[in-house]
């Protein structure tokens, strides 16, 4: 298992950052007619204005799809969609499924309310991860809307995993190309979130149904995006348990190195939420991290997930 000890994975200066960061769509957004897209950082993310998601025409939707391909994370301020409107928008992106690990919002099975209360210690989604990578068909998109936010804090960061993959030296990419990773529910939600509900991650408990407790899926370490055809590093510290055919002990050093690489600050952007801000991100090519820095305050989000394909 020579990969685990490759020095290049322990020395960030060996990464080819500059080549990876020459990311044309982010630096020069397309010329849109129905939306305005302003990049959030050199790596990924754009704030999209000039559009009402509640009354979206086909041409504006097509531009949003293009912008998602280019920027990976789209931030729509001032939308304040009603629950039915958020579900309807998510459905324009693909099939919307009920997320099985939390009680759905009453009357709206496709929405999960993520509520953090003032006395919560942990938050939902703290730590770099991609949503539900333990599923055989993990969500392609997450559509998250802020209902109530702290005055300051509670931002979400995102990291571009195309850049994470492209910045690895060619020899490392070659060595990783055929490798698969086991994503495990037990790794992500662990003992504190079993169906007994013995403790709460946030005011909204995560309740893993018994049939999901042992759920694992094997996915490629580098997945090819079905729309852009680009490869993205598909490793996340939240759910990655071990490489296929390796023990957890053998896997950990390389997992740690790749997970740390995926969250390098130059690959990131940071979103500040306001009530009514809606964000869509592509789980197939970016990681996200919910900041847990708003102790004593409430944060309420509504989330819908759009089913994706089997990662290739
Ligand atoms: C999530 O991890 O899906 C939620 C992220 C957030 O609440 O910022």
């Amino acid at each position: 298992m020579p990969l685990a000890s490759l020095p290049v994975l322990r020395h960030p200066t060996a990464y080819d950052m500059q080549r990876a960061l020459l990311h044309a769509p982010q630096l020069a957004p397309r010329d849109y007619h129905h939306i305005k897209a302003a990049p959030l950082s050199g790596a990924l993310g754009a704030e999209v204005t000039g559009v009402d998601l509640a009354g979206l025409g086909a041409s504006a939707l097509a531009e949003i799809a293009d912008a998602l391909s280019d920027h990976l994370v789209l931030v729509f301020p001032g939308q304040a969609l009603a629950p039915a409107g958020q579900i309807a928008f998510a459905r324009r992106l693909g099939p919307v499924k009920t997320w099985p690990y939390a009680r759905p919002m009453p009357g709206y099975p496709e929405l999960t309310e993520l509520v953090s209360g003032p006395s919560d210690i942990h938050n939902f989604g703290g730590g770099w991860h991609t949503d539900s990578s333990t599923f055989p068909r993990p969500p392609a998109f997450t559509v998250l809307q802020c209902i109530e936010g702290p005055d300051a804090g509670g931002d979400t960061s995102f990291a571009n995993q195309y850049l994470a993959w492209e910045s690895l030296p060619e020899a490392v990419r070659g060595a990783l190309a055929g490798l698969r990773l086991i994503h495990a529910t037990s790794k992500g939600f662990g003992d504190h979130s079993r169906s007994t509900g013995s403790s709460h991650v946030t005011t909204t408990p995560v309740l893993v149904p018994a049939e999901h407790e042992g759920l694992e899926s094997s996915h490629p370490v580098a997945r090819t995006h079905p729309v852009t055809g680009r490869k993205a590093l598909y490793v996340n510290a939240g759910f990655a348990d071990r490489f296929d055919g390796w023990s957890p002990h053998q896997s950990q050093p390389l997992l740690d190195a790749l997970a740390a690489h995926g969250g390098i600050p130059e690959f990131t952007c940071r979103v500040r939420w306001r009530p009514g801000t809606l964000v869509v991100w592509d789980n197939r090519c970016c990681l996200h991290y919910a900041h847990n820095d708003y102790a004593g305050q409430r944060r309420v989000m509504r989330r819908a997930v759009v089913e994706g394909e089997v990662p290739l």
Side-chain angles (χ1 to χ4, degrees), residues 114 124-125 129 131 142 144 156 273 281 288 290 299 301 303:
L114 307 174
F124 185 95
H129 67 288
D131 284 334
T142 299
L144 187 67
T156 304
W273 298 95
W281 67 84
H288 58 283
R299 181 179 187 266
M301 315 292 277
R303 192 178 79 155

Side-chain angles (χ1 to χ4, degrees), residues 36-248:
K36 290 194 186 71
L40 292 178
S41 78
L44 82 168
E47 182 175 271
V48 177
T49 51
V51 69
D52 175 7
L53 296 180
L56 203 55
S59 317
L61 181 67
E63 290 194 350
I64 286 173
D66 285 344
L68 257 177
S69 289
D70 286 357
H71 303 288
L72 292 55
V73 178
L74 300 183
V75 179
F76 298 90
Q79 294 292 332
L81 292 184
Q86 183 172 344
I87 296 165
F89 170 63
R91 283 208 184 113
R92 308 284 299 271
L93 303 175
V96 177
K97 297 279 158 148
T98 299
W99 191 63
Y101 296 180
R103 267 189 298 275
M105 187 178 168
Y108 300 98
E110 300 90 344
L111 289 182
T112 305
E113 279 200 304
L114 307 174
V115 181
S116 296
S119 51
D120 287 0
I121 306 277
H122 302 289
N123 70 334
F124 185 95
W128 285 118
H129 67 288
T130 179
D131 284 334
S132 302
S133 62
T134 60
F135 293 1
R137 297 165 68 104
F141 302 110
T142 299
V143 178
L144 187 67
Q145 183 172 211
C146 176
I147 305 303
E148 197 180 322
D151 294 336
D155 297 354
T156 304
S157 284
F158 296 87
N160 183 331
Q161 298 306 290
Y162 293 134
L163 300 187
W165 176 252
E166 288 160 9
S167 60
L168 289 170
E170 203 175 331
V172 176
R173 279 183 278 137
L176 293 174
L179 212 54
R180 296 180 72 85
L181 188 55
I182 308 292
H183 299 248
T185 298
S186 58
K187 178 81 183 269
F189 292 116
D191 293 336
H192 59 253
S193 58
R194 298 212 180 278
S195 44
T196 54
S198 57
S199 72
H200 293 178
V201 174
T202 67
T203 300
T204 307
V206 172
L207 304 167
V208 179
E211 67 273 19
H212 275 253
E213 281 182 2
L215 180 68
E216 297 187 339
S217 292
S218 164
H219 298 310
V221 165
R223 71 178 287 187
T224 303
H225 195 284
V227 176
T228 64
R230 294 172 74 188
K231 274 193 193 305
L233 186 66
Y234 196 60
V235 174
N236 75 93
F239 296 112
D241 189 52
R242 62 195 186 279
F243 295 102
D244 217 342
W246 300 17
S247 71

